[in-house]
């Protein structure tokens, strides 16, 4: 995308995606989970996006276990 066509709002959305990706990386790392391809992504319709990418099955299982252990009572998947 040409730099001259990026608005201030678009730049803020892109930065939000990057910040959210960094926050998620840190939260996952606290549980010993690393998603190597996790990163901020280009904005879509003015919304910051995070690219989760692929991961090994064992990493997905560890992430699932962490989420399942902290799920609110009565939550169903």
């Amino acid at each position: 995308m040409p730099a001259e066509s990026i608005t201030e709002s678009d730049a803020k959305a892109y930065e939000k995606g990057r910040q959210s990706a960094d926050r998620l990386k840190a939260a996952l790392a606290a549980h010993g989970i690393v998603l190597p391809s996790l990163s901020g992504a280009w904005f879509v319709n003015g919304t910051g996006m995070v690219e989760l990418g692929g991961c090994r099955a064992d990493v997905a299982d560890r992430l699932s276990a962490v989420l399942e252990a902290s799920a609110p009572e009565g939550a169903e998947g």
Side-chain angles (χ1 to χ4, degrees), residues 1 3 5-19 41-43 46-48:
M1 176 175 292
S5 65
I6 297 175
T7 66
E8 183 177 340
S9 176
D10 291 338
K12 286 180 180 178
Y14 176 72
E15 183 58 25
K16 174 61 177 151
R18 286 177 27 114
Q19 291 172 352
W42 283 103
F43 53 89
T47 300

Side-chain angles (χ1 to χ4, degrees), residues 23-68:
R23 180 178 177 196
L24 182 55
K25 278 182 189 180
L28 291 170
H31 293 279
I33 299 170
V34 176
L35 299 178
S37 53
L38 174 64
S39 64
W42 283 103
F43 53 89
V44 174
N45 295 326
T47 300
M49 301 296 289
V50 174
E51 182 69 40
L52 298 175
C55 70
R56 298 185 327 253
D58 64 310
V59 174
D61 287 340
R62 290 186 64 213
L63 178 55
S64 296
V66 168
L67 294 171
E68 291 163 356

Side-chain angles (χ1 to χ4, degrees), residues 67-68 70-76:
L67 294 171
E68 291 163 356
S70 63
E73 291 248 352
E76 293 184 28

